[in-house]
Each structure stands twice: as structure tokens, then as C-alpha cells.
């Protein structure tokens, strides 16, 4: 079984889509393995705490500090800069983080921990429509 999740973003941040995944798996049911794969090179996927929004803002702040925009003097070595100061740093962040996730499924439910949620981590400053391919076997 396969589907695709469409996630609209409004700039950098973590966008939870756990509910969408759960709803789709409810229609599939059964046991197996869910694979999620983001079809873009400037965002990533992560499983993170979904109880305290400070976790998401702290993660974003950490990666912004780790990989600042290309117009920051510390990033003067970057050559791919013609798509804006956020573009190459977004590619670097996506290379450091996961672009696919494997999640066990039991009786049609992802086997996530109590406080775990599935997120698309947007690294670009402009709004985007992101596509996440899902495969359940």
C-alpha cells in the first residue's frame, strides 16, 4: 500500500503530520513496516516530542545556529547561493537529518512512544508544498 502526504509549510519549522499518518494506517490496518520518504532536498523528516512546543523551537534554533544563512560571514565559503541565503543551508540541514523514516506498525497503528510525533522539518524561509511518500508493507 502506498500514498502521499501533502504538507504545506509557511517557512522554517516543524510541521507535525502524525494524525494524517494514523488516519491512513487506520484504513490499511494490520502489522508491518511504514516507510516515509520526503521528496525534496531542502527539508527533512524527524520523530520528536509533540507535547512541548519548546522542543520544536529549540531544535530549529539549534540548527539555525549550527548552519546559518549563506550571507553570514561564517558561510562565505558556500558557492551555491543564487537561490537565496536560505537555500544551501537548507540542503546542508537536510543532509544532516533524515529524509526517510521506518516506523513499525501494529494493528494499524504506528508504534510511536507516548510523546512522539512525526514531523516534516522545513528548512526554507518561503512557503512550500512538500510531498512525503508513504509505503506500508
Amino acid at each position: 500500500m502506498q500514498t502521499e502526504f501533502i504538507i504545506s509549510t509557511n517557512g522554517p519549522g516543524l510541521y507535525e503530520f502524525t494524525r494524517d499518518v494514523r488516519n491512513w494506517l487506520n484504513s490499511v490496518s494490520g502489522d508491518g513496516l511504514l516507510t516515509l520518504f520526503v521528496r525534496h532536498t531542502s527539508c527533512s523528516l524527524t520523530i520528536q516530542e509533540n507535547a512541548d512546543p519548546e522542543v520544536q523551537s529549540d531544535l530549529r534554533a539549534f540548527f539555525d545556529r549550527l548552519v546559518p544563512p549563506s550571507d553570514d560571514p561564517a558561510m562565505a565559503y558556500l558557492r551555491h547561493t543564487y537561490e537565496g541565503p536560505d537555500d544551501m543551508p537548507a540542503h546542508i540541514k537536510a543532509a544532516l537529518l533524515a529524509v526517510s523514516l521506518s516506523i513499525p506498525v501494529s494493528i494499524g497503528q504506528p508504534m510511536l512512544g507516548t510523546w512522539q510525533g512525526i514531523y516534516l522539518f522545513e528548512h526554507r524561509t518561503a512557503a512550500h508544498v512538500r510531498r512525503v511518500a508513504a509505503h506500508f508493507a
Side-chain angles (χ1 to χ4, degrees), residues 73-93:
M75 303 300 274
Y77 64 92
L78 294 177
R79 302 177 70 81
H80 178 75
T81 59
Y82 51 87
E83 292 183 51
D86 67 319
D87 185 49
M88 189 60 213
H91 293 299
I92 294 170
K93 292 171 188 175

Side-chain angles (χ1 to χ4, degrees), residues 4 7 9 14 17 20 24 38 47 52-53 55 63 69-70 77-78 82 87 95 98 100 104 110 116 118 120 124 127:
E4 187 173 63
I7 301 162
T9 68
L14 286 94
F17 65 106
D20 297 329
W24 179 67
V38 66
I47 294 176
D52 184 353
V55 171
F63 280 101
S70 64
Y77 64 92
L78 294 177
Y82 51 87
D87 185 49
S100 67
Q116 289 182 319
I118 304 166
L120 179 122
R124 296 296 308 266

Side-chain angles (χ1 to χ4, degrees), residues 4-132:
E4 187 173 63
F5 298 102
I6 308 298
I7 301 162
S8 296
T9 68
N10 300 323
L14 286 94
Y15 295 82
E16 186 173 8
F17 65 106
T18 313
R19 181 175 292 135
D20 297 329
V21 171
R22 287 185 188 280
N23 288 342
W24 179 67
L25 287 172
N26 277 334
S27 69
V28 174
S29 73
D31 298 340
L33 185 66
L34 171 66
T35 302
L36 299 172
F37 175 76
V38 66
R39 300 178 60 200
H40 306 276
T41 60
S42 56
C43 60
S44 54
L45 297 173
T46 190
I47 294 176
Q48 266 307 326
E49 178 178 328
N50 62 3
D52 184 353
E54 288 179 349
V55 171
Q56 290 95 47
S57 60
D58 285 350
L59 279 169
R60 180 178 166 209
F62 171 79
F63 280 101
D64 287 346
R65 186 174 177 186
L66 182 67
V67 187
S70 64
D71 55 4
D72 184 292
M75 303 300 274
Y77 64 92
L78 294 177
R79 302 177 70 81
H80 178 75
T81 59
Y82 51 87
E83 292 183 51
D86 67 319
D87 185 49
M88 189 60 213
H91 293 299
I92 294 170
K93 292 171 188 175
L96 293 172
L97 296 163
V99 295
S100 67
L101 300 171
S102 296
I103 303 168
V105 174
S106 177
I107 316 170
Q109 289 299 308
M111 296 179 69
L112 297 170
T114 302
W115 308 114
Q116 289 182 319
I118 304 166
Y119 292 87
L120 179 122
F121 197 165
E122 177 64 69
H123 304 303
R124 296 296 308 266
T125 57
H128 283 82
V129 174
R130 302 302 196 168
R131 299 179 179 281
V132 177

